[in-house]
């Protein structure tokens, strides 16, 4: 659903989406709206890193009792000296185009859901953001009070 929303926008017309989705539903406990916001933010950041042209790859899989969603772009990459700061509030590499709150909000949402986020990046090669959340099938899955939800498509 999230990717369907962005693919129709003019800002995404020169971007090819590659989807590698796990067989069957991957369930995690959480607020579907917040988790959709995480994916939307990562996809928009990927677009911005490529100046609107390139490839975005979204992959879902299970990883040791966790649900994993990764978003990879073919953009400019993130310099190693910036990697420790990218999830900090108000840190941005976008200049006046960004306020530095997106990735901070993403990390906060993921942590509230009992998950984690990391990034691999190489300048000139692009970046991969990987979100891992507890599977709803695992005992004690996620933060209390959150309901089981499937992937946003």
């Amino acid at each position: 659903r999230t990717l369907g929303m962005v693919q129709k926008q003019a800002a995404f017309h020169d971007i090819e989406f590659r989807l590698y989705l796990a067989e069957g539903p991957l369930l995690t406990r959480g607020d579907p709206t917040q988790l959709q916001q995480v994916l939307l933010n990562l996809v928009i950041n990927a677009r911005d890193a490529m100046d609107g042209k390139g490839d975005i790859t979204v992959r879902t899989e299970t990883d040791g009792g966790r649900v994993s969603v990764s978003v990879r772009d073919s953009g400019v990459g993130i310099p190693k000296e910036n990697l420790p700061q990218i999830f900090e509030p108000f840190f941005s590499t976008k200049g006046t185009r960004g306020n530095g709150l997106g990735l901070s909000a993403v990390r906060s949402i993921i942590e509230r859901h009992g998950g984690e986020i990391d990034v691999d990046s190489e300048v000139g090669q692009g970046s991969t953001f990987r979100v891992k959340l507890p599977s709803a099938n695992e005992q004690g899955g996620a933060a209390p009070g959150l309901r089981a939800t499937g992937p946003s498509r």
Side-chain angles (χ1 to χ4, degrees):
R1 186 172 29 207
T2 303
L3 297 178
M5 289 181 349
V6 298
Q7 286 177 314
K8 294 178 176 106
Q9 295 179 8
F12 285 89
H13 282 161
D14 291 329
I15 292 176
E16 183 172 336
F17 283 89
R18 299 169 194 258
L19 304 177
Y20 299 95
L21 305 178
E23 293 284 325
L26 298 179
L27 298 177
T28 187
R29 295 192 184 283
D31 180 325
T33 302
Q34 288 185 355
L35 296 175
Q36 186 174 19
Q37 184 62 41
V38 165
L39 184 57
L40 183 61
N41 190 291
L42 293 176
V43 168
I44 288 171
N45 279 358
R47 177 205 61 199
D48 292 349
M50 300 183 303
D51 288 327
K53 293 182 181 181
D55 299 325
I56 295 176
T57 302
V58 177
R59 181 180 308 271
T60 63
E61 56 195 346
T62 58
D63 181 14
R66 296 172 79 75
V67 172
S68 176
V69 178
S70 62
V71 177
R72 173 159 181 66
D73 65 63
S74 60
V76 297
I78 303 167
K80 289 199 183 307
E81 62 270 14
N82 289 345
L83 287 173
Q85 302 163 19
I86 61 168
F87 295 108
E88 297 301 320
F90 307 110
F91 180 81
S92 177
T93 59
K94 296 180 184 180
T96 59
R97 294 183 303 140
N99 58 26
L101 294 176
L103 288 176
S104 175
V106 163
R107 180 177 65 176
S108 178
I109 291 168
I110 295 304
E111 288 177 351
R112 278 196 312 270
H113 284 76
E116 57 191 48
I117 183 169
D118 62 43
V119 60
D120 292 318
S121 189
E122 188 173 329
V123 173
Q125 300 297 311
S127 301
T128 302
F129 285 83
R130 195 169 303 99
V131 172
K132 293 182 182 178
L133 294 163
S135 170
N137 298 329
E138 294 295 309
Q139 288 286 61
L146 299 176
R147 62 189 172 119
T149 183
S152 291
R153 293 183 191 226

